[in-house]
Amino acid sequence: MSFAKASSRRDFLKSGALAGIGAAVLPVGRTLGEIRSSSVMPKAGPIAISSRNGQRSVLKAIEMIQSGADALDAVIAGVNIVEEDPKDMSVGYGGLPNEAGAVQLDSCVMHGPSCRAGGVAALEGIKTPSKVAKLVLDRSDHVLLVGLGAQRFAQMHGFKIEDLLTDRARERWVEWKEGLSNRDDYLPPHSMEDKDIGENIEDLERHWGTIHCSAIDLAGNISGVTTTSGLAFKIPGRVGDSPIIGAGCYVDNEVGAAGSTGRGEANLENLCSFLIVERMRMGDSPEQACLYACERIASHTKLARLLDDEDRPNFTVSFYALNKAGEVGGAQIWGGRGQFAVADANGGRLVEMAYLYARTTMR
Ligand code: GLY
C-alpha cells in the first residue's frame, strides 16, 4: 500500500482525495479566509490518522487492522516505526535530549473498548515508550509511571536499556548549549572577530515534535497513542502533554479519538484531547472540535510573553481527531501549510489542516 503524494492543495484536489470535503468551519470572530477545511466524508473503519510524520504509521496500522489486529496494537506498531527511526529527532530513539543531554520520552495509549489507559513520562533508555505505556495498561493497576520507576517496570518485563542519544541529536544539543548565552562558559565555533557569541540561539529550532496516531479497527473499535521526546532541551524532568490522558490523547469508543502535537504546556492547561472528544459527543465534526480546542487555547493564553502584537498565541498546537463514523479532521492554531496523514483500505493520503491564524512570521 502506498501513500498518495499531496504536496500542494492543487495536487491534492486533482488526486480526488478531497472529494466530499465538508463545509469550512468558521469559529466565532474569524474570517472565512483564515480557515481551510480538512473534513473527509464519513466511512467507518478501518481508518487511521496521524500527525504528518506518521505517514508510515497509518499505513502500518491499516495493514495490521486488515489482518484482524485490534486498533491499539495497530497504532502502537505504527508509531514504533517512527520511535525506532534515528532520523526522526522528535520521537523515541534519536529524539533531541533535555538540557542535560539525556533523552527523556513521554507516551500514552488509550484503548476504546475497555476504556483503559496507560502512560509513561520522562522515561530514559527505551526506544519505544508507547510499548511501555501499553505495558502499564496491561500489567499494572496504574495509569501513569514516570522516570526510573517506569524504566524499572519496563526492565522487569524484559525491555533492554539502550543509549538513545544519536550523534546527530548530541551535536544539535551541543550546538544549542554553546549558543545559549554569551554570558556562560560554553562557546560555539567562532573566529577572533566575533563579538556577540551566543546570539544565534534564536535561530535554532527548539521544537515540540511528537507523533499521534489513532484508528478504528474492523470491529469498529477506536484506540489512540501519542509519543514524543518532548520539548527539545527541556529542563530535566519536564513532562509535556503527550503522556497525559485527556491532554495528549483521549478516546471514547462511542464517540471518537483525539490527539495533539505542539506546545504541551498550553495543552496541559486546557486538556484539549478530552475537550475535542466531548465536543464531538455534542455534535461537532472532528474538524470543528479541533478548531474549538485551538480557540480555547487562544482565549486562555493571557501571559504577554506568550502573545504576539495582536494578542494571539505566539506558539502553535495541532490537533487530530476521528469520530465513530470514520470522519477525520485536524486543526492548528497557526497554519496554512499543515497536513495530517490518513490511511484506509484504499491507501494513504495527506489532508490539509484547518487553522485559526495564517502562519506568517510566527516562530
Ligand atoms: N507536545 C509535546 C510536548 O510538549 O512535549
Side-chain angles (χ1 to χ4, degrees), residues 205-278:
E205 193 186 359
R206 189 165 179 238
H207 61 86
W208 291 273
T210 298
I211 180 168
H212 167 75
C213 186
S214 50
I216 306 179
D217 61 26
L218 295 178
N221 288 322
I222 309 171
S223 287
V225 57
T226 300
T227 178
T228 189
S229 52
L231 173 66
F233 320 128
K234 58 197 173 188
I235 294 174
R238 177 264 188 191
V239 171
D241 58 333
S242 302
I244 306 301
I245 291 297
C249 180
Y250 195 73
V251 178
D252 185 313
N253 212 38
E254 303 308 313
V255 179
S260 70
T261 61
R263 181 180 160 80
E265 281 70 13
N267 190 20
L268 279 170
E269 290 170 335
N270 292 280
L271 297 179
C272 289
S273 291
F274 180 75
L275 177 65
I276 289 165
V277 170
E278 292 308 300

Side-chain angles (χ1 to χ4, degrees), residues 95-104 165 169-170 173 229 231-234:
L96 289 170
N98 64 18
E99 191 276 338
V103 180
Q104 289 191 328
L165 188 65
R170 182 185 51 73
W173 169 62
S229 52
L231 173 66
F233 320 128
K234 58 197 173 188

Side-chain angles (χ1 to χ4, degrees), residues 4 26 29 37 48 69 81 107 125 130 132 135 177 181 188 191 216 222 224 226 234 252 259 281 291 304 322:
L26 192 61
S37 177
I81 297 170
S107 178
S130 62
V132 186
L135 193 66
K177 220 165 168 59
S181 164
S191 74
I216 306 179
I222 309 171
T226 300
K234 58 197 173 188
D252 185 313
R281 192 193 306 280
L291 278 168
L322 59 76

